[in-house]
Amino acid sequence: MKVVKFGGTSVANSMSLLNVIDIVKESNDRKILIVSALGGITNLLDEMSTQASKGERNYKDKLQILENQHLDLIEFFIPVTRQSEIISFLKSQINELEEVLESLFTLNELTSKSLAKILSFGEILSSTIIYNVLKHKECDIELKDSRQIIFMKTVNDREVVDHNKSEKKTKAFLNENNSKNILVPGFIAQDEDGNTTTLGRGGSDFTASLLANYSNADQLEIWTDVSGMYTAHPKLVSQAIPISNLSYHEAMELSHFGAKVIYPPTLQPLIDKNIPVIIKNTFDKKAKGTLINADGSSIQDGSTVKGISHIEDVALISLEGSGMIGIPGFSKRFFECLSNKQINIIMITQASSEHSICIGVRSKDSAIAKKTIDDNFAFEISVQKVNPAKIELDMTNIAVVGDRMKDHQGISGKLFSSLGANNINIRAIAQGASERNISIVINKRNTQKALNSIHESFFERQIKELNLFITGVGNVGGKLLDQIDGQKSYLLENLRLKINVVAISNSSKMLLSDISLDLKKWKKQLNSSNINANREAFFNHTKTLNLRNSIFIDNTANHEIAEEYGLYLANNIGVVTCNKIACASSYKNYKELKKISRRYNTPFLFETNVGAGLPVIDTLNNLIASGDEIIKIQAILSGSLNYIFNNFNSKTSFRNVVQSAQDQGYTEPDPKIDLSGVDVARKILILARESGFELELKDIINKSFLPKDVLKTSSNEEFYNAISKKESYFQKILKNATKNGRRLKYVAQLEKGKASVGLQEIESHHDFYNLEGSDNIILFYTTRYRDQPLIVKGAGAGADVTAGGIFGDIIRIGKQ
Ligand code: ADP
Ligand code: ASP
Ligand code: MG
């Protein structure tokens, strides 16, 4: 004998019912079939009851929806000539249901009895219709109303299954009956007074396990809409996978802590008779599913943790006070008063000081729980020995489950550090004495992020996802997107890094997605986007999505964007930027950003602030971290100025050379920032700060070679006109240098905490003399590199190399 249960989603409509018919007909075993109400119907009935009892007339609209959903099945499967009997059954049931709802409407009340009566219509209708369909498909089948075989009784004010009576009646029925298939509605039962009652929401699973127990079935099959019990809720964790084998206890813990695929009380009757359960997918019959049995031994992909489950809408209640210390009976009174109100406690923690006790309950129970606690401890509260119960709403309980967890160390460490790394605060922790379960409570808004982080650290060790929010997609940003697109598969294959670009903004428009954008289409999509660029909305989108490993990328040279880094960092969103403004702003701001980055454990990387893609800051940081000391830094840090002075000669005009540097993307959008020396000053300032010196931009000695008239200009056009007029002046500077066999180089220097920038004539033996094109060179003189400096040299400007440097920072975060 086999017991086979089909959930609501498996019987929701004619298409899904086609699968069910196949499954039933394929097996030759004798079977008890249990069906739930059609998908969505129990919720509909529940809503109608509430509306009617509140005096809201529109509950009637739902009656029509309910009738149609059932009628569709009849019309699809049963020929017109044979429909009349079943249609008149449907109509009579709808009429009866309407009458009950009408009485609720008149009385304005909803008792648990009338609710059970109303909810029972779902299973009564589904089982009768499915029975008729299967019969029409020539199945050897009989319909048995579960209210004649499953009975409830009241013990300590609670309704529980009367196993003796139920088992006797079930056995008697099975002995009398010899049909190959017996169809039974799930969920409903008969109470002590002969009225209809239910086994609780999701209770069809329980009906099935009770009947499996009473009939000594060889196996219980639960057919649903997913391929088994997953490592985490599959709708929230896209990387979750079905668990091939679970022990009863593991399955019990997972379902108790929220894995809805199986109703928690289901397992006990199966444990009693050692009956294995298999969870299968009605829509993918070939999928292996999850086998639940006593052994459950196979280890999920080498992991001791089998699964993660969660319950949203949890409230934390804490009772605190000095009056609790060392006084016996406090906890007893605390739990007893909650139990008297039938409040289910999800988790308990108590500090060893006994100064406080904290529990998790369902949010809907929290108000009653607080009232009953405060009433019961009214005396202690009045003499200030304890404080009134404190309630925190909008919490989520997450449980990490596995039988073998008790034999392994480091599981909680891993759990906590994965949450810590994603800046998710843990409000309460509990570990069951069986060590089969570690539970934590966190703020509900972090649920998905937490589940994915925990899932990643226990099950996906291989792949790490980075979520990028990119602002500035011109020269540099555009190249960056191309590079990411080109490297995607390499990174996945070799570094196990998956890069998602989730949102993009330029100065006029934004693309705000919540999944990875298609990088082949971003330009078109951005152009046709109807969302105007807005920094606040961009930040809010990033924050609200609350994805793990979120990184804000700034490819602009914009002041206002640079002012927002602190906000991103403090919200656990990493920042990678080629924009130098933040790091070259006031020392206080620079320090503050570093501090926030440390405090929230959020990366802040700006390698491209100096030398574009060259490893300058990284090299400097490594020198300092390994105990070296900077004596002097001498450098050519402007790719654009180097390009300009390398190409400027007596036959070219200074203006045209500057223009060509800008055309090739070597200068800042405003070329005066380069030529005035401000850009180089910012770079040496950043190197000085990274070397540990507390300097401001005004402290950098900047002897500009530009004449005053040029410095005064306020637009690119004025600037170009002004340098055109000074051609002879620039030619003179050049002539002076070349006549002495020297070359013009724009040099930055840091020595003994003092920094300067300026145009210099470089002699032919110097390392700087032969620096080509737009290259940069940085000489680090340190305690270790005292005589021969450590030299970093190479292309120091250009969109491609800058984008490459930003990409490098992103990968660095991925490797952390
Ligand atoms: P049925 O109608 O078949 O009884 P349920 O809706 O009660 O189906 O349960 C199946 C659903 O449980 C799945 O669609 C899935 O969204 C949800 N679920 C939650 N946690 C898990 C989990 N860990 N594994 C599988 N499904 C889960
Ligand atoms: N139909 C009931 C419910 O939705 C029972 C079940 O589906 O298991 O709760
Ligand atoms: Mg269910």
Side-chain angles (χ1 to χ4, degrees):
M1 169 79 84
K2 233 170 49 173
V3 176
V4 183
K5 179 250 167 177
F6 295 98
T9 47
S10 302
V11 294
N13 53 43
S14 39
M15 287 307 133
S16 48
L17 199 53
L18 278 172
N19 296 329
V20 171
I21 296 167
D22 282 350
I23 295 164
V24 173
K25 294 193 84 170
E26 268 164 22
S27 137
N28 276 323
D29 299 301
R30 189 170 187 220
K31 296 186 285 294
I32 303 179
L33 308 172
I34 285 90
V35 290
S36 295
L38 308 192
I41 293 294
T42 315
N43 284 346
L44 207 64
L45 290 163
D46 194 31
E47 287 157 20
M48 278 194 273
S49 321
T50 312
Q51 281 176 335
S53 65
K54 282 189 183 160
E56 294 168 12
R57 263 274 161 235
N58 52 356
Y59 72 86
K60 288 193 183 247
D61 306 342
K62 297 202 167 94
L63 266 179
Q64 195 56 52
I65 301 175
L66 183 132
E67 181 171 343
N68 290 344
Q69 198 173 336
H70 290 90
L71 213 50
D72 282 350
L73 284 191
I74 298 173
E75 286 170 353
F76 186 88
F77 286 103
I78 299 180
V80 186
T81 49
R82 290 161 68 181
Q83 284 174 3
S84 62
E85 196 182 332
I86 180 76
I87 290 184
S88 69
F89 172 77
L90 173 64
K91 297 270 181 208
S92 72
Q93 289 292 307
I94 300 278
N95 288 342
E96 196 184 328
L97 171 62
E98 193 169 4
E99 271 170 33
V100 189
L101 287 166
E102 196 60 37
S103 68
L104 296 190
F105 182 80
T106 316
L107 295 171
N108 261 286
E109 70 163 16
L110 180 61
T111 62
S112 52
K113 245 184 206 160
S114 43
L115 179 62
K117 167 89 188 150
I118 291 170
L119 296 186
S120 72
F121 280 91
E123 267 70 9
I124 292 169
L125 283 171
S126 70
S127 58
T128 313
I129 293 171
I130 293 166
Y131 164 73
N132 275 274
V133 170
L134 286 168
K135 200 140 187 77
H136 175 71
K137 295 279 175 191
E138 289 164 356
C139 255
D140 176 8
I141 190 159
E142 175 131 353
L143 178 64
K144 179 71 181 169
D145 189 331
S146 41
R147 290 171 296 184
Q148 290 161 16
I149 46 178
I150 297 195
F151 298 87
M152 306 297 278
K153 62 180 180 185
T154 308
V155 178
N156 293 337
D157 288 338
R158 255 171 233 235
E159 216 171 42
V160 295
V161 178
D162 182 342
H163 289 293
N164 279 342
K165 186 169 173 188
S166 305
E167 180 161 13
K168 221 179 272 164
K169 294 279 185 182
T170 304
K171 282 195 160 137
F173 168 74
L174 290 174
N175 284 338
E176 283 160 24
N177 182 290
N178 49 19
S179 311
K180 194 157 148 209
N181 297 293
I182 292 146
L183 184 78
V184 177
F187 181 53
I188 56 177
Q190 190 180 132
D191 73 9
E192 271 173 332
D193 305 322
N195 295 317
T196 299
T197 185
T198 75
L199 301 179
R201 291 301 308 269
S204 294
D205 296 336
F206 193 27
T207 311
S209 84
L210 291 171
L211 295 181
N213 177 306
Y214 305 151
S215 65
N216 292 317
D218 304 311
Q219 174 170 301
L220 167 61
E221 290 174 8
I222 293 185
W223 291 82
T224 181
D225 62 342
V226 285
S227 301
M229 177 85 88
Y230 277 60
T231 44
H233 194 316
K235 294 206 173 88
L236 296 183
V237 179
S238 62
Q239 309 276 358
I241 46 165
I243 306 168
S244 49
N245 194 189
L246 284 168
S247 73
Y248 292 124
H249 291 290
E250 288 170 333
M252 196 127 81
E253 295 278 348
L254 285 169
S255 69
H256 180 75
F257 284 98
K260 184 186 169 211
V261 67
I262 196 159
Y263 181 53
T266 307
L267 291 149
Q268 194 55 51
L270 304 168
I271 297 174
D272 293 346
K273 296 244 170 109
N274 203 6
I275 300 167
V277 197
I278 179 142
I279 303 176
K280 298 275 289 177
N281 189 345
T282 306
F283 305 91
D284 182 6
K285 283 187 286 177
K286 291 206 184 78
K288 223 172 123 231
T290 298
L291 173 68
I292 304 169
N293 55 15
D295 172 23
S297 61
S298 92
I299 297 170
Q300 185 73 18
D301 296 332
S303 170
T304 37
V305 169
K306 285 287 195 71
I308 306 158
S309 59
H310 74 285
I311 307 174
E312 281 180 300
D313 291 320
V314 167
L316 273 185
I317 304 185
S318 37
L319 188 66
E320 276 184 38
S322 55
M324 294 170 63
I325 302 171
I327 300 180
F330 238 94
S331 309
K332 176 174 177 282
R333 280 171 61 200
F334 183 73
F335 293 120
E336 208 163 57
C337 75
L338 292 167
S339 156
N340 289 341
K341 295 282 174 196
Q342 312 222 340
I343 290 169
N344 182 29
I345 298 173
I346 299 170
M347 60 108 75
I348 307 164
T349 60
Q350 181 172 27
S352 57
S353 71
E354 299 181 41
H355 178 250
S356 71
I357 188 161
C358 174
I359 56 162
V361 300
R362 298 263 179 190
S363 294
K364 66 175 173 49
D365 294 334
S366 61
I368 302 174
K370 174 169 167 59
K371 184 163 184 332
T372 187
I373 297 167
D374 288 351
D375 287 351
N376 272 275
F377 290 91
F379 172 72
E380 286 83 353
I381 292 171
S382 73
V383 295
Q384 295 182 351
K385 288 214 155 194
V386 299
N387 305 325
K390 199 173 99 197
I391 308 231
E392 288 169 85
L393 294 169
D394 295 325
M395 298 281 159
T396 294
N397 185 98
I398 296 183
V400 172
V401 172
D403 277 345
R404 292 167 48 108
M405 278 164 48
K406 61 176 179 306
D407 307 323
H408 288 79
Q409 310 81 356
I411 291 176
S412 23
K414 201 165 176 181
L415 171 66
F416 302 152
S417 59
S418 81
L419 293 173
N422 284 282
N423 221 358
I424 298 166
N425 192 26
I426 304 175
R427 284 291 299 109
I429 303 166
Q431 175 167 20
S434 65
E435 293 186 50
R436 188 178 286 129
N437 166 344
I438 301 172
S439 281
I440 52 153
V441 176
I442 58 160
N443 198 304
K444 185 175 160 186
R445 74 184 167 83
N446 287 321
T447 306
Q448 190 164 7
K449 189 178 187 181
L451 288 173
N452 279 279
S453 317
I454 301 170
H455 196 271
E456 181 180 277
S457 59
F458 286 107
F459 298 106
E460 304 161 31
R461 259 155 269 140
Q462 323 85 321
I463 294 174
K464 178 165 183 178
E465 288 191 47
L466 299 180
N467 296 297
L468 310 188
F469 300 79
I470 302 185
T471 185
V473 283
N475 256 348
V476 173
K479 288 269 193 255
L480 174 65
L481 289 170
D482 290 346
Q483 291 178 4
I484 293 174
D485 193 35
Q487 274 313 92
K488 262 189 160 169
S489 35
Y490 176 90
L491 291 176
L492 200 58
E493 185 86 355
N494 294 283
L495 296 186
R496 297 278 176 199
L497 213 53
K498 181 164 181 282
I499 301 199
N500 306 318
V501 176
V502 184
I504 292 178
S505 175
N506 62 19
S507 54
S508 57
K509 289 184 169 183
M510 316 193 279
L511 258 185
L512 303 180
S513 167
D514 49 10
I515 51 163
S516 193
L517 291 166
D518 180 346
L519 294 188
K520 302 257 182 301
K521 298 194 184 137
W522 70 267
K523 243 183 222 151
K524 225 181 183 168
Q525 288 176 336
L526 184 65
N527 285 337
S528 55
S529 165
N530 49 16
I531 314 177
N532 289 332
N534 177 310
R535 290 193 315 277
E536 197 181 333
F538 195 80
F539 167 73
N540 285 337
H541 180 72
T542 313
K543 182 181 164 187
T544 314
L545 277 186
N546 198 13
L547 297 173
R548 286 166 310 146
N549 306 324
S550 290
I551 308 172
F552 174 65
I553 316 267
D554 179 11
N555 299 316
T556 72
N558 185 299
H559 269 93
E560 285 153 330
I561 295 175
E563 278 165 21
E564 291 178 337
Y565 297 167
L567 197 59
Y568 279 95
L569 292 169
N571 280 282
N572 195 230
I573 300 157
V575 174
V576 169
T577 179
C578 62
N579 182 349
K580 296 180 240 340
I581 293 173
C583 288
S585 63
S586 71
Y587 182 77
K588 193 166 156 256
N589 186 47
Y590 159 84
K591 262 310 210 207
E592 181 64 18
L593 290 174
K594 291 240 152 186
K595 205 166 105 192
I596 301 176
S597 150
R598 262 196 309 273
R599 181 181 332 139
Y600 293 93
N601 195 17
T602 313
F604 174 40
L605 296 180
F606 43 87
E607 178 60 270
T608 46
N609 279 194
V610 183
L614 295 178
V616 181
I617 294 178
D618 196 43
T619 306
L620 175 58
N621 290 161
N622 286 339
L623 287 173
I624 293 172
S626 64
D628 206 351
E629 267 173 60
I630 305 297
I631 297 170
K632 183 166 85 176
I633 296 176
Q634 228 186 0
I636 292 181
L637 294 174
S638 171
S640 45
L641 286 174
N642 202 42
Y643 173 89
I644 290 166
F645 287 108
N646 278 343
N647 286 281
F648 181 41
N649 58 45
S650 55
K651 293 187 189 73
T652 56
S653 81
F654 192 69
R655 187 211 175 282
N656 286 350
V657 180
V658 174
Q659 182 74 62
S660 121
Q662 178 163 26
D663 291 347
Q664 295 186 54
Y666 293 153
T667 67
E668 291 286 310
D670 171 3
K672 201 175 79 180
I673 302 232
D674 294 293
L675 277 95
S676 63
V678 169
D679 185 61
V680 177
R682 283 178 179 158
K683 288 173 179 165
I684 194 74
L685 174 67
I686 294 170
L687 291 185
R689 287 174 171 177
E690 290 289 300
S691 308
F693 297 106
E694 194 179 326
L695 286 188
E696 297 289 353
L697 192 60
K698 65 175 171 33
D699 300 328
I700 314 285
I701 302 155
N702 181 355
K703 289 172 277 175
S704 180
F705 68 94
L706 287 184
K708 280 205 181 72
D709 293 354
V710 178
L711 283 171
K712 267 193 327 220
T713 58
S714 56
S715 71
N716 279 5
E717 199 190 339
E718 280 179 30
F719 170 77
Y720 276 111
N721 285 337
I723 52 173
S724 285
K725 286 192 194 132
K726 296 284 175 190
E727 183 62 28
S728 57
Y729 162 79
F730 294 116
Q731 288 291 350
K732 202 170 137 206
I733 300 179
L734 177 69
K735 211 166 157 192
N736 278 342
T738 40
K739 82 169 186 252
N740 298 326
R742 295 174 180 159
R743 287 186 179 166
L744 287 171
K745 299 284 169 192
Y746 202 86
V747 177
Q749 179 153 321
L750 170 74
E751 193 170 13
K752 298 198 180 103
K754 294 228 169 350
S756 62
V757 298
L759 195 61
Q760 291 183 11
E761 293 177 1
I762 300 293
E763 307 226 353
S764 60
H765 61 82
H766 196 280
D767 285 321
F768 289 173
Y769 185 82
N770 284 318
L771 199 69
E772 312 248 320
S774 65
D775 285 3
N776 279 194
I777 182 165
I778 300 97
L779 315 182
F780 291 103
Y781 293 90
T782 70
T783 320
R784 289 179 200 144
Y785 295 93
R786 193 177 285 273
D787 303 324
Q788 284 301 319
L790 187 158
I791 303 179
V792 178
K793 180 181 159 195
D800 234 351
V801 286
T802 308
I806 296 169
F807 201 2
D809 274 348
I810 296 169
I811 293 169
R812 207 164 289 152
I813 294 176
K815 284 179 170 172
Q816 274 172 8

